[in-house]
Each structure stands twice: as structure tokens, then as C-alpha cells.
Amino acid sequence: MVGAQARRRWGVVLAVVVVLCAIPVAINVWPARAADISVPALRARITASGGQAYSGYAQSTGLLPLPPLPNLERVTALVSGTTEIRAWYAGPDRWRVDVIAGGSERDTYQAPDGQYVWDYEDNQLSRIVGAQPLRLPRAADLTPPELVRRIFASAAGDRFEPVADKRVAGRAAAGLRIIPATADTTVDHVDVWADPVSGLPVQAEVTAKGGVRPVFVTRFLELHLGAPDASVVAPPQPRPGIGYTETTAPDVLSLLNRRARFVSLPDELGGSARAASVPGVTAAAVYGTGLARFVVAALPGRIGSPAYDKVETFGQSVTVPRGTAALIATGLLTVLVVRADRTYLVTGLVAPALLERVAVDLAGAVT
């Protein structure tokens, strides 16, 4: 009798534990039904969501088979692996993004007086002063709100369609699909889900042409709407025992510009016009329109040679009128390195055929 009663008691305890553990799972798989909202209205709310404060935990996952390029290892890791992100956003000029990887942590703070980067592993605090007209991608660009706003900024002529609602981070989110208008991009479509009231993007999935599942996904696993505590987004202050530097040129692209300041990139490459001039930057430029934009940067020799060797090892050769060129096509992101009078790195969500034309133009250019 005692044994039977004990079994019943433990059975009740086990049932309660199972129910408690199942609640989060049930919330996420429960059919989502967001507030009825049209695609134009949702698109407008997403575009205007830059003032919505939030805090949350996000995860981005890239499945692109891209090898680590010299001096660009952090960039290639963003699209070829999983990035764990903690984000606090009070506004466009006051936010914080922490990247957590194993036992290391790298925190980026945006404050009205500049940007701060705290590297926990190196015990180093850096303050970045002034605007960065052109810079390398960073983890803060991969939060769902930031990535979606950047895609929207390039999707003016693309088609928008509705997709089924989805539950993200316990919230019913309204969805839409972006279908590129240009055939030069490798992107088949981008699916976006957002809070229907505030328009804050909570998940984005990028699917390549010919693909059956997304090759890049960013989404919130936890999300709280509302302003974070001011102390959380306040950058750390210099103090004894930690390294501290101030710089106005922290970015690799700024370094490239100084080392290749006499480079003059053409107004058109591969049939794509220069999208816009970048103040103070001559060694790099953006070409094309919409999601078919690509970046061209002239590399100094100590960076260019190992970059070419890496791309040649993992990619394929491209025939050019003079010099050599090699290309890696991942299905979504395409990377090209051209070595003629100088070395150029070209990358974008563009078809390999477009970058092959760019390679011919760059190899034939006189700089």
C-alpha cells in the first residue's frame, strides 16, 4: 500500500514537471494569428519601427560554405555559422549589442558621443569617434530589426506578398515576403515577420534561388518591448586595469582607403552603375541596385595576396584579359578576388555571372 501511494505521489510530481516543461514549447508551436493587417500597412510600420525600444536575445544562423578570409574572419563567421546576440535598444543613437561565443564576449555600444567596443577576452575598451561612411558588417547588423530595415532600404522596386503568421519569441507575428525584381541577385525571396502593432521585425529568413529552405535566418528567442534601463546601454568608462584606445579609423575599409588612396574605381562595373559615392573613401564603392548591390574594395598587397590565395584554393578561376581572378559562389553570397595591377575584393548577394563580368572590367581597368 505504501509503495502504491508513493508511486502515485511521484506520478503526480512527474506530471506537473512535464506540464511545466511543455508550456514554453506549446506557446511557440501554438497556431499564431496576428492582428489583421495589409501588406502595405505592415510594410509601413516596419519602415517606421526605428523608434521602437526593445531588449531581447536573438540568434542568427548562416549556412554559407565560406572560408575565413585573411583579416575578415569575423565577417565570414557571421554568414557561415551561428551568432548568439543579446540586444538592448533605446533608440538609433543609444543601444548595445553583445556577441557571446564560448568563453568570450564582445560588446558594442552606440552612444550620442560615439561608439564603444568592449572586448572581454582582450580586456580592451575602444572608443570610435566620428561617422563611418563605409564599414564591414558586424553582429549588430544581424539583429532582426536592423537586418530587415537594411533589406527594406534596398527593396524599393521589389514585390511584396503576404505570408502566413508565425509565433516568434512567444508573440504572434505578421509576415510578408519580398521577391526581388532583378534577376542579378542570388536571393529568391526574403520572408519577414514583425510585431503587427509596433512593426518591429522579429524574424527574417533569406532563401537562395533554387533552395528549398533558408540559408540565413535571424530571429528573437526572447523579446521584451519597451525601453531598457539606461545603465544597461551606457558604455563602460575607462578605468585602471583595462586597455583603452580612441580612434577615428577603426574599420578595415578605412585602412584600405589609406593604403590605396590613389585608387580610382570606375563609374560602372559589369554593367552596374556605382550606387552612391562614399565621402572620403576612394578605395571602396558600392555598385548595383536593390538586393543585387555589391561592394568593391582595393586591397593592399599584404591583405590582397593571402585573400586571393584563399579564394583560389576554395573557389574557381575566372578568365580575365590580364592578371588572374578567382571566385567563390556559396549559393547566396558570391566572393571575387581580382589580381591585376592591384588586388580587388568584390562581394555581394549577386549571381556569379555578374561578378565574372566585373572581373573582366577590373582586370582591364587602368588605375
Side-chain angles (χ1 to χ4, degrees), residues 13 20 30 47 61 106 115 185 257 266 284 288 307 317 326 329-330 341-342:
V13 172
L20 291 176
W30 196 268
T47 302
T61 303
R106 186 177 175 87
Q115 198 171 98
T185 180
N257 193 47
S317 298
T330 68
D341 289 343
R342 63 179 71 253

Side-chain angles (χ1 to χ4, degrees), residues 59-80:
Q59 183 183 79
S60 70
T61 303
L63 303 177
L64 307 185
L66 191 64
L69 299 177
N71 295 285
L72 299 172
E73 290 84 358
R74 280 188 178 141
V75 176
T76 55
L78 294 177
V79 296
S80 57

Side-chain angles (χ1 to χ4, degrees), residues 105-107 116-127 236 241-246:
E105 182 177 321
R106 186 177 175 87
D107 307 341
Y116 296 78
V117 177
W118 165 246
D119 194 312
Y120 177 83
E121 189 173 13
D122 292 339
N123 197 33
Q124 178 74 32
L125 176 65
S126 301
R127 182 186 177 215
I242 68 172
Y244 178 73
T245 59
E246 287 192 5

Side-chain angles (χ1 to χ4, degrees), residues 28 71 77 79 82 90 111 117 119 122 124 140 150 174 186 214 220 243-244 253 255 263 340 354:
N28 284 322
N71 295 285
V79 296
T82 298
V117 177
D119 194 312
D122 292 339
Q124 178 74 32
R150 289 176 179 272
T186 54
F220 280 113
Y244 178 73
L253 288 179
L255 172 64
V263 172
L354 171 57

Side-chain angles (χ1 to χ4, degrees), residues 1 24 37 57 64 142 183 289 350 352:
M1 180 66 67
I37 182 172
Y57 171 65
L64 307 185
L142 301 184
T289 60
V350 292

Side-chain angles (χ1 to χ4, degrees), residues 32-277:
R33 185 172 183 177
D36 289 336
I37 182 172
S38 66
V39 168
L42 181 59
R43 182 179 175 183
R45 291 183 187 180
I46 291 174
T47 302
S49 66
Q52 174 62 53
Y54 69 87
S55 58
Y57 171 65
Q59 183 183 79
S60 70
T61 303
L63 303 177
L64 307 185
L66 191 64
L69 299 177
N71 295 285
L72 299 172
E73 290 84 358
R74 280 188 178 141
V75 176
T76 55
L78 294 177
V79 296
S80 57
T82 298
T83 305
E84 309 285 345
I85 301 170
R86 280 280 181 190
W88 297 264
Y89 183 88
D93 65 344
R94 194 175 294 276
W95 50 260
R96 170 184 171 185
V97 170
D98 295 358
V99 179
I100 305 164
S104 66
E105 182 177 321
R106 186 177 175 87
D107 307 341
T108 302
Y109 296 78
Q110 180 63 58
D113 66 336
Q115 198 171 98
Y116 296 78
V117 177
W118 165 246
D119 194 312
Y120 177 83
E121 189 173 13
D122 292 339
N123 197 33
Q124 178 74 32
L125 176 65
S126 301
R127 182 186 177 215
I128 303 169
V129 182
Q132 301 175 64
L134 190 63
R135 59 170 176 78
L136 295 175
R138 61 192 178 195
D141 298 329
L142 301 184
T143 63
E146 186 62 24
L147 181 64
V148 169
R149 290 186 197 119
R150 289 176 179 272
I151 292 175
F152 268 42
S154 301
D158 296 337
R159 190 166 82 249
F160 286 72
E161 297 179 350
V163 294
D165 298 341
K166 175 177 289 205
R167 190 168 296 276
V168 182
R171 296 174 175 271
L176 57 79
R177 172 168 293 179
I178 306 170
I179 301 176
T182 175
D184 284 332
T185 180
T186 54
V187 176
D188 184 80
H189 63 269
V190 180
D191 289 339
V192 173
W193 289 269
D195 175 65
V197 177
S198 66
L200 185 75
V202 295
Q203 181 164 331
E205 299 179 350
V206 182
T207 300
K209 288 180 178 178
V212 296
R213 67 188 184 111
V215 292
F216 188 86
V217 177
T218 178
R219 62 186 178 123
F220 280 113
L221 302 180
E222 299 174 9
L223 178 63
H224 305 280
L225 298 183
D229 191 279
S231 63
V232 176
V233 295
Q237 297 300 308
R239 62 181 185 272
I242 68 172
Y244 178 73
T245 59
E246 287 192 5
T247 178
T248 57
D251 197 89
V252 171
L253 288 179
S254 298
L255 172 64
L256 300 182
N257 193 47
R258 292 199 306 273
R259 294 295 179 89
R261 59 185 180 276
F262 301 114
V263 172
S264 178
L265 293 173
D267 293 332
E268 182 178 295
L269 284 172
S272 298
R274 187 194 293 252
S277 60

